[in-house]
Amino acid sequence: MTQASHAASERDRVIVFDTTMRDGEQSPGASMSLEEKLELAKILEEMRVDVIEAGFPIASNGDFEAVRQISEIVTESTVCGLARAAAVDIERCAEAIRPAKRGRIHTFLSTSPSHRDHILKMSQEDILEAITRSVTHARNLCDDVEWSAQDATRTEQDFLRRCVEAAIKAGARTVNIPDTVGYTYPSEYEAIFRDLVENVPGVENVILSTHCHNDLGLAVANSLAGVQGGARQVEVAINGIGERAGNAALEEVVMALKVRGDRLPYFTNAETQHITRASRYVSAITGFPVQFNKAIVGKNAFAHESGIHQDGMLKDRGTYEIMTPESVGQGASNLVMGKHSGRHAFREKLKALGYELGQNALNEAFQRFKDLADKKKHVFDDDIVALVDDALASGADRIQVKQLRVIAGTEGPQEAHLTVTVEGVERSATATGDGPVDAVFNAIHEVVPHTAILRLFQVHAVTEGTDAQAQVSVRLEEDGRIATGQAADTDTLTASAKAYVNALNNLFARKEKSAPDAAKVASGF
């Protein structure tokens, strides 16, 4: 490739910026431990995600440590930390990313009249001065600085131009134009980028970026429109998780660019066969199930039930599939698993399902599989996905269910005898309730006192049959904090207890982060 053709190729490359660990974790109820974030960072790097936004270092010691440790283990992707326009935020961020081979400070300030008047109490000139000051300070600490105009899509276009110009002059290498409240629509968002490309001095020397929220269900469409308008970075999250209705989904944006190259002549470096693995991991550690009809990664994304569709698929897969399941890591497997299956076959099955576990995790998952195979005649792929996700979700929990016995029937009250371990120490209790689930949850309250309110209790069967595993989702709320939990077991009551305890673990983890309120309010684009 000649130098000129390489330069032209680079102009068509779209940088993938993943914010699952920062904006994604701000989803009500989502929470990730340090160990889970480190594992996710490895998965994202294997996927060749260009930029990993690892956290908001000033928000808490936990966020700082996550950014710092991810900076130590990631060698190819850029590790990014978020900072408000305050000097203390920027310095804390610079300290966190210092070990990174490629580090980035991402600083931001609101620009819309709504935010200027009601949140910041600043004039336009005050905003411009703060942009120059904060970006300059960040640039003195790090070569790679990104600046974001929070609530950009509700900002006067002439003032937005001035803000972007100020950030460029101060040394920003990437300028982000977020649709913070999910307000814009595709043609409008594309026009914003075209206007900046045509009218801001120096814009040709920086990367413009999209960051879209899904309040109107337009995050992916808007992100693609931004690319058409001149953006060459997309800020996305696995499974589209994030504030309120979430962010643009990484898997949807990346695959749209890959599949529709005829209308979107751009490309990413993402290795898409890792998408399903990343999706399942994020779902497991956050407790957020992926809806069955979710694009790209949903259980039904490549399912064909209509007779006409099935007939077409048998004749030519291209009749009803615009991409293959293998292209996103949902490859089919012909291995039938049962109680006589060995470790090697189990490992190959996991790879086919999109999982690559370390030796300790593999050993634990294999033992769970053997236990399940003793209970069930047929072990389906969905059973294996459920048991691995269950292990990933609860592996680092401080509180774990050890033993449960429930007395149920038509004559109440029902009774639950429960034993849990809290950081290795056993605690037991017996409680009654209006039904067996109520009794189980009351017993948990006895061994782990708390004031959380149960907001959601949901059960569905993983597969067909009376011996199917039950997958239970639980959502708890305490003092404005929300946490979710998920678990699977062939015994519905055991799954319920594990899901509730998993939610409690996540709730306690969120409480320990103790992020300052100001940081929380300002951190969502």
Side-chain angles (χ1 to χ4, degrees):
M1 182 182 292
T2 66
Q3 188 173 354
S5 61
H6 176 74
S9 176
E10 279 300 296
R11 285 198 296 271
D12 294 331
R13 183 171 77 92
V14 177
I15 295 166
V16 178
F17 177 115
D18 180 86
T19 187
T20 305
M21 284 185 271
R22 199 277 300 169
D23 203 342
E25 198 188 23
Q26 290 173 205
S27 299
S31 184
M32 305 177 204
S33 69
L34 173 59
E35 292 75 16
E36 290 164 346
K37 287 187 175 183
L38 291 171
E39 182 61 29
L40 179 56
K42 294 175 186 175
I43 294 172
L44 293 173
E45 186 169 37
E46 287 179 23
M47 199 193 300
R48 295 188 68 193
V49 163
D50 299 286
V51 184
I52 300 171
E53 190 167 46
F56 191 12
I58 196 68
S60 68
N61 290 333
D63 255 33
F64 174 86
E65 196 60 26
V67 176
R68 187 185 68 79
Q69 290 198 31
I70 289 170
S71 296
E72 291 176 346
I73 67 167
V74 168
T75 58
E76 297 301 322
S77 303
T78 295
V79 179
C80 177
L82 186 69
R84 292 169 298 181
V88 64
D89 279 46
I90 293 168
E91 290 161 9
R92 185 70 166 161
C93 185
E95 184 182 354
I97 64 168
R98 187 169 291 121
K101 183 176 179 181
R102 297 177 180 85
R104 175 181 294 186
I105 294 175
H106 183 187
T107 187
F108 67 96
L109 190 63
S110 292
T111 56
S112 70
S114 173
H115 285 211
R116 293 196 311 262
D117 297 342
H118 300 296
I119 298 175
L120 300 176
K121 310 292 185 183
M122 294 171 69
S123 67
Q124 288 190 358
E125 295 307 314
D126 291 335
I127 295 290
L128 291 169
E129 181 184 347
I131 293 169
T132 300
R133 184 177 61 250
S134 58
V135 174
T136 299
H137 188 45
R139 188 66 178 77
N140 287 335
L141 298 172
C142 179
D143 288 340
D144 188 352
V145 174
E146 175 173 340
W147 178 75
S148 288
Q150 186 170 216
D151 205 21
T153 56
R154 296 195 297 171
T155 299
E156 309 94 318
Q157 193 64 25
D158 59 340
F159 181 57
L160 183 61
R161 290 191 210 110
R162 295 173 68 196
C163 291
V164 171
E165 184 177 1
I168 293 171
K169 286 182 177 179
R173 287 168 51 176
T174 302
V175 175
N176 183 31
I177 309 300
D179 184 28
T180 302
V181 294
Y183 177 72
T184 196
Y185 58 92
S187 60
E188 179 182 51
Y189 198 49
E190 179 180 354
I192 290 173
F193 281 94
R194 291 196 183 279
D195 178 78
L196 295 174
V197 168
E198 293 169 4
N199 295 299
V200 175
V203 73
E204 68 277 5
N205 299 318
V206 302
I207 298 292
L208 295 179
S209 178
T210 72
H211 182 114
C212 297
H213 281 267
N214 206 38
D215 298 72
L216 293 175
L218 295 171
V220 170
N222 284 332
S223 298
L224 297 173
V227 171
Q228 290 182 302
R232 289 298 178 268
Q233 176 177 283
V234 287
E235 302 193 4
V236 289
I238 299 292
N239 296 339
I241 67 171
E243 290 270 14
R244 305 181 312 280
N247 291 276
L250 179 150
E251 59 277 5
E252 295 176 26
V253 173
V254 167
M255 290 308 294
L257 290 170
K258 183 172 182 176
V259 171
R260 291 309 311 270
D262 57 328
R263 297 302 300 270
L264 296 163
Y266 316 104
F267 69 96
T268 73
N269 285 337
E271 295 190 354
T272 60
Q273 68 271 23
H274 297 289
I275 281 176
T276 296
R277 176 187 172 203
S279 168
R280 286 173 175 165
Y281 187 73
V282 169
S283 175
I285 64 177
T286 60
F288 280 25
V290 175
Q291 66 194 63
F292 281 15
N293 63 330
K294 167 77 170 63
I296 315 299
V297 293
K299 180 179 178 181
N300 293 344
F302 296 95
H304 304 272
E305 182 145 337
S306 160
I308 295 174
H309 285 219
Q310 290 176 346
D311 179 65
M313 285 291 293
L314 290 170
K315 292 172 178 174
D316 186 331
R317 290 177 66 171
T319 55
Y320 286 103
E321 277 189 357
I322 60 172
M323 56 192 150
T324 67
E326 292 83 4
S327 68
V328 296
Q330 285 206 46
S333 169
N334 294 321
L335 287 172
V336 178
M337 304 302 292
K339 64 181 180 180
H340 299 298
S341 298
R343 192 182 304 271
H344 177 73
F346 181 69
R347 182 188 292 110
E348 292 305 308
K349 169 65 79 173
L350 290 181
K351 285 182 180 179
L353 293 173
Y355 294 99
E356 290 186 28
L357 304 182
Q359 192 59 47
N360 290 338
L362 175 66
N363 291 340
E364 183 179 347
F366 183 65
Q367 186 56 54
R368 284 174 177 245
F369 160 71
K370 284 294 191 178
D371 292 342
L372 180 63
D374 284 336
K375 299 175 185 176
K376 293 194 64 177
K377 184 176 181 180
H378 300 293
V379 179
F380 299 97
D381 285 359
D382 286 342
D383 285 315
I384 295 174
V385 168
L387 74 85
V388 174
D389 285 351
D390 187 38
L392 291 173
S394 61
D397 283 355
R398 293 161 51 193
I399 310 163
Q400 298 205 3
V401 175
K402 182 177 181 181
Q403 191 173 38
L404 175 67
R405 183 167 63 88
V406 180
I407 301 173
T410 56
E411 295 182 5
Q414 285 68 36
E415 189 172 86
H417 305 268
L418 174 72
T419 299
V420 303
T421 58
V422 181
E423 295 183 334
V425 179
E426 287 191 11
R427 297 183 187 176
S428 298
T430 298
T432 58
D434 184 12
V437 174
D438 189 44
V440 169
F441 290 174
N442 287 341
I444 294 172
H445 194 281
E446 289 291 324
V447 291
V448 187
H450 60 276
T451 58
I453 299 171
L454 179 65
R455 295 298 188 193
L456 172 72
F457 173 70
Q458 184 173 291
V459 183
H460 79 266
V462 173
T463 58
E464 67 270 15
T466 56
D467 61 351
Q469 288 189 92
Q471 192 160 53
V472 178
S473 297
V474 165
R475 174 170 290 194
L476 301 176
E477 182 176 357
E478 184 181 57
D479 299 330
R481 297 182 182 89
I482 297 173
T484 59
Q486 190 172 300
D489 198 279
T490 51
D491 186 303
T492 303
L493 295 176
T494 299
S496 300
K498 289 180 176 179
Y500 195 103
V501 166
N502 183 229
L504 274 181
N505 278 291
N506 291 334
L507 183 64
F508 294 155
R510 291 182 76 82
K511 289 169 70 174
E512 288 173 1
K513 289 189 176 181
S514 62
D517 289 341
K520 284 183 176 179
V521 170
S523 63
F525 292 149

